[in-house]
Amino acid sequence: MTTESLRFTEIEHKFLVDESFDVATFDRTLREFGPTRTTSLQVRDRYYLTAAGQTAGFLIRHRFDPELHHLTLKSVESDPEVRAEINLDLGHHAGDQQAAVDAFLDRLDVRWRGALQKDLRVWKLPDIEVVHYRATTETRTVHCVEFEATRKSSLSDALAIVHRYERATGFEARDRCHLSLPQILFPEIAVALGAAPV
């Protein structure tokens, strides 16, 4: 259940973990909650910073993978716990529309573009999606765990859901990351959007 006011809002906590993170134990803990679906997949995300995005604080993401084909606007906040996320479903019927996406966004004065690969492990539960991934560019790699509320009857309820799973998996005591993934992996984007690079 999502209220109309939170329809285009992502409510999520991201944590940086190291390469030795114990995914097997994490998996066992989450399976005790009875996930409706688990999956592993590799995705390619291409990010764009337009002139308007630099001024207003948002990035555009194009994702094409076996499950999703989206063009997404994501706001960049000083605290990414709550941020705008608006997805347009491009569908798989026409295949990867990379050339059309590039041509479309070039008309919007693209100032920067970059691509990354993610190796994802996903646990979908009735009220949350939990993800562990390794994200890489040509020069950087980062490992993350994310808890994103998918039941959003209110902001406080969504945050309570996130906290519940953080407690269960031992993340409650950890410091969460306050940068978006592109800001972590592309230092020039952190600078362009007014954050200190990692």
Side-chain angles (χ1 to χ4, degrees):
M1 176 183 177
T2 299
T3 64
E4 188 60 30
S5 65
L6 295 174
R7 182 176 171 199
F8 300 117
T9 303
E10 178 182 60
I11 301 165
E12 172 188 274
H13 286 174
K14 177 193 287 85
F15 297 88
L16 299 178
V17 296
D18 61 30
E19 197 171 348
S20 63
F21 177 71
D22 188 350
V23 180
T25 299
F26 190 63
D27 174 62
R28 281 194 297 276
T29 302
L30 288 170
R31 285 184 185 276
E32 291 176 7
F33 288 95
T36 57
R37 185 165 179 253
T38 60
T39 187
S40 296
L41 69 155
Q42 186 175 73
V43 303
R44 183 206 68 222
D45 286 340
R46 295 184 314 125
Y47 285 90
Y48 304 81
L49 178 64
T50 63
Q54 187 167 7
T55 301
F58 66 83
L59 291 166
I60 304 291
R61 181 186 70 194
H62 178 224
R63 172 174 287 179
F64 180 77
D65 65 45
E67 295 184 3
L68 299 174
H69 189 193
H70 284 172
L71 192 63
T72 302
L73 182 148
K74 284 181 162 283
S75 67
V76 177
E77 308 291 345
S78 59
D79 184 346
E81 178 178 66
V82 179
R83 62 182 176 166
E85 179 177 278
I86 305 165
N87 291 300
L88 298 176
D89 189 350
L90 302 182
H92 283 83
H93 63 283
D96 186 356
Q97 298 178 49
Q98 179 174 330
V101 168
D102 281 341
F104 181 89
L105 291 171
D106 282 343
R107 297 292 181 117
L108 300 177
D109 193 8
V110 172
R111 301 285 175 90
W112 173 91
R113 68 186 77 213
L116 59 89
Q117 295 285 332
K118 277 182 175 177
D119 294 303
L120 295 154
R121 181 91 183 263
V122 183
W123 295 263
K124 292 185 184 241
L125 294 112
D127 51 1
I128 199 163
E129 181 176 281
V130 181
V131 182
H132 171 264
Y133 61 83
R134 175 180 179 263
T136 58
T137 67
E138 292 180 359
T139 58
R140 289 187 159 205
T141 298
V142 68
H143 299 260
C144 298
V145 169
E146 293 179 354
F147 299 86
E148 180 182 351
T150 53
R151 182 180 299 152
K152 299 177 281 188
S153 57
S154 70
L155 178 57
S156 61
D157 287 348
L159 288 171
I161 289 166
V162 169
H163 291 303
R164 174 182 175 220
Y165 289 94
E166 288 173 349
R167 277 192 303 276
T169 56
F171 276 84
E172 186 178 45
R174 293 185 183 223
D175 291 330
R176 62 183 174 86
C177 184
H178 285 79
L179 293 175
S180 68
L181 186 59
Q183 289 173 297
I184 296 167
L185 289 174
F186 301 103
E188 65 272 28
I189 284 303
V191 171
L193 292 170
V198 175

